[in-house]
Amino acid sequence: MPVILFLISCILSCGSRPGVSEPVKIPVILNETITNEYSDTSDLHSLDKDVSEYMKQWGVKGAALCIMKNDSLVYSKGYGISDEDKPTEASTLFRLASVSKLVTAAGIMKMQEDSLLSLSDKVFGPGGIFDGEDFTKELKHPWFFKITVENLLRHQAGFTVYAGDPMFNIKDIMIQNHLDTVPDSRTLAKIYLRRKLGPEPGTDPLYSNFGYLLLSMIIEKLSGESYEDWIQENILHPAGCYDFHIANNYYEQRWPGETRYFPHDASLVPECNNSGKMVERAYGGSDIHGLSGGGAWVASAPELMRFVASIDGRDEVKDVLSKESIAEMTKFISPESYGIGWNDITEDGTWTRTGTLAETNALIKYYPDGECWIYLTNTGTFRGARHASYTNAFFNRERENSSRLLPRRDMFHIYE
């Protein structure tokens, strides 16, 4: 066991002694510190076995499981392979897919705290955030001028996918609009905003990846920085997360420590840039980088958990948002409503965030008792987004079996 982890284990198992002042907590650089070895404890071998069997059931080649209790990281481990015969580590990076929306939502809430915007601000039209932008000249219906920042966050802007999701329909968009290159976000917005809206903004929720692309563009416009840079500087680094990155599209462009991806269907598909080449679905089949804040972040499970600990309203880990912002993000409205960044908010205080790509499944489940479980995979399944319901059931079973066995420690910190 590495020396630093041995010290963590010894100090945390001992705790503070009577007559001795409380130990000072020093945050660790998670991806340089946490290893599989530290969670290889005999009490949790049954959990290890169950995770491995669950992966085998779904044909998953590599995965990571992370568990937090009351803002303390108590378990973090990689399973299977990340590339060829290379094992998956706790520090392995995974594409987060739509879990990225939670990061973007936190950024928007931070902007509201800094008086850069309000959730009630109009997005388009006179006085709107994008007033005067060339791509808004395409707007034809007066409903567009009703869309607010909060509508985008809660998937209530009225954007439809009746002609295909523009974030995953790049090849056809290029053909239809005679484009020679993959459209950037402004070009894609100009094309998509020619469509009609479905539900009136602020009414029925309709999930939209495009809406979170617009939120990413809002962050860029109001900050004067790239989306990635601003989020890292104002959300992730203050949260103690230093290895989040916007994904690249190809295997050769993967980040150091990033896994390889394995779609459930291994057949080749046309490259999304209309090159005519046939490529692996995970590497060029979609413009993953172009998803931006709607689905492009990569991170490790422990760093993702550290981010969650920084936006959960608990006092053990310092939050990067105010309690008022966090309460707004996690407010229960109705079973049909989306939270801000979160998929589902239940009346009892359970928060869920899912993410799915052809080669990735991700689930964050935050429970009212203070436990949070994260599961990330490098392999898609034939169930697609519906796979999350099976992982949710798996979490519930394992919580019954393993929660009482979780060690009392906090791998987020060393103590002096």
Side-chain angles (χ1 to χ4, degrees):
M1 179 182 292
V3 174
I4 190 169
L5 294 181
F6 176 77
L7 291 173
I8 295 173
S9 179
C10 290
I11 296 171
L12 292 182
S13 62
C14 294
S16 57
R17 299 189 305 275
V20 179
S21 60
E22 285 294 317
V24 176
K25 297 198 301 184
I26 303 175
V28 301
I29 305 299
L30 292 168
N31 284 0
E32 296 178 3
T33 306
I34 307 301
T35 68
N36 284 351
E37 184 182 11
Y38 195 46
S39 291
D40 190 15
T41 60
S42 58
D43 287 346
L44 294 172
H45 280 176
S46 61
L47 174 61
D48 284 348
K49 180 181 177 182
D50 290 347
V51 172
S52 297
E53 289 180 353
Y54 184 69
M55 290 169 59
K56 184 177 180 180
Q57 174 187 350
W58 290 98
V60 171
K61 295 184 179 296
L65 177 68
C66 204
I67 306 172
M68 178 175 72
K69 190 171 183 63
N70 299 331
D71 269 7
S72 292
L73 181 63
V74 297
Y75 188 89
S76 186
K77 195 170 184 180
Y79 295 84
I81 62 169
S82 63
D83 194 352
E84 301 298 334
D85 294 326
K86 185 177 180 181
T88 305
E89 288 289 338
S91 59
T92 297
L93 307 185
F94 293 80
R95 289 175 178 172
L96 301 183
S98 282
V99 167
S100 302
K101 292 178 173 66
L102 188 57
V103 180
T104 302
I108 292 294
M109 300 307 290
K110 176 64 174 172
M111 282 197 151
Q112 177 170 255
E113 291 181 12
D114 293 344
S115 300
L116 294 172
L117 57 70
S118 170
L119 298 195
S120 61
D121 285 348
K122 294 294 194 295
V123 177
F124 303 114
I129 294 172
F130 290 129
D131 185 18
E133 297 283 354
D134 59 347
F135 61 84
T136 65
K137 297 175 183 177
E138 306 300 324
L139 304 177
K140 305 298 182 185
H141 196 284
W143 278 1
F144 276 104
F145 306 115
K146 294 184 175 183
I147 297 174
T148 67
V149 173
E150 185 169 2
N151 292 157
L152 296 179
L153 288 166
R154 295 190 184 277
H155 299 281
Q156 290 180 302
F159 297 134
T160 71
V161 291
Y162 70 87
D165 187 330
M167 310 308 298
F168 295 98
N169 204 25
I170 298 297
K171 186 171 67 69
D172 292 339
I173 286 173
M174 289 179 64
I175 294 171
Q176 293 163 4
N177 293 275
H178 311 290
L179 300 177
D180 296 324
T181 59
V182 172
D184 60 17
S185 56
R186 294 180 65 85
T187 303
L188 189 62
K190 184 175 182 179
I191 293 168
Y192 182 76
L193 291 172
R194 297 170 187 162
R195 299 184 183 181
K196 295 180 180 179
L197 290 177
E200 182 177 359
T203 59
D204 297 336
L206 198 61
Y207 193 87
S208 174
N209 292 305
F210 177 74
Y212 269 75
L213 175 65
L214 285 179
L215 289 167
S216 308
M217 295 169 66
I218 286 172
I219 288 173
E220 292 187 331
K221 180 176 176 63
L222 297 182
S223 71
E225 299 182 53
S226 75
Y227 165 80
E228 182 177 17
D229 287 347
W230 192 89
I231 288 289
Q232 287 175 336
E233 293 165 7
N234 293 273
I235 297 294
L236 296 172
H237 292 177
C241 305
Y242 302 101
D243 211 4
F244 270 69
H245 310 279
I246 292 295
N248 294 309
N249 288 343
Y250 297 97
Y251 177 77
E252 296 77 13
Q253 299 172 328
R254 68 196 186 282
W255 290 96
E258 185 178 358
T259 186
R260 184 182 187 109
Y261 301 102
F262 306 90
H264 171 72
D265 179 359
S267 59
L268 300 181
V269 299
E271 193 170 15
C272 70
N273 62 6
N274 263 332
S275 67
K277 297 179 182 177
M278 301 297 287
V279 298
E280 293 182 54
R281 190 179 300 274
Y283 295 110
S286 297
D287 181 20
I288 302 299
H289 184 83
L291 292 171
S292 190
W297 285 105
V298 300
S300 69
E303 282 218 343
L304 178 58
M305 189 69 85
R306 176 72 193 199
F307 165 69
V308 172
S310 301
I311 60 164
D312 67 354
R314 296 187 65 96
D315 294 329
E316 293 89 344
V317 168
K318 184 178 180 180
D319 290 321
V320 296
L321 298 175
S322 69
K323 290 189 182 298
E324 291 77 15
S325 291
I326 294 167
E328 184 67 20
M329 291 178 72
T330 58
K331 179 173 63 178
F332 172 77
I333 298 175
S334 73
E336 296 78 26
S337 299
Y338 290 99
I340 291 180
W342 296 94
N343 287 77
D344 300 311
I345 303 292
T346 64
E347 201 165 3
D348 71 354
T350 303
W351 313 335
T352 304
R353 178 65 258 180
T354 63
T356 306
L357 292 168
E359 67 285 353
T360 305
N361 282 284
L363 176 63
I364 303 173
K365 199 77 176 184
Y366 199 109
Y367 298 93
D369 63 4
E371 267 187 25
C372 182
W373 288 52
I374 288 176
Y375 179 69
L376 307 175
T377 78
N378 63 10
T379 313
T381 75
F382 70 94
R383 288 290 184 181
R386 290 174 293 173
H387 181 67
S389 64
Y390 295 90
T391 303
N392 180 64
F394 175 76
F395 281 1
N396 290 337
R397 291 194 303 271
E398 294 306 316
R399 270 167 47 83
E400 289 185 9
N401 297 330
S402 302
S403 286
R404 72 186 189 283
L405 303 175
L406 293 172
R408 294 182 60 190
R409 60 183 176 188
D410 181 9
M411 294 188 287
F412 283 144
H413 300 92
I414 58 175
Y415 286 63
E416 285 191 350

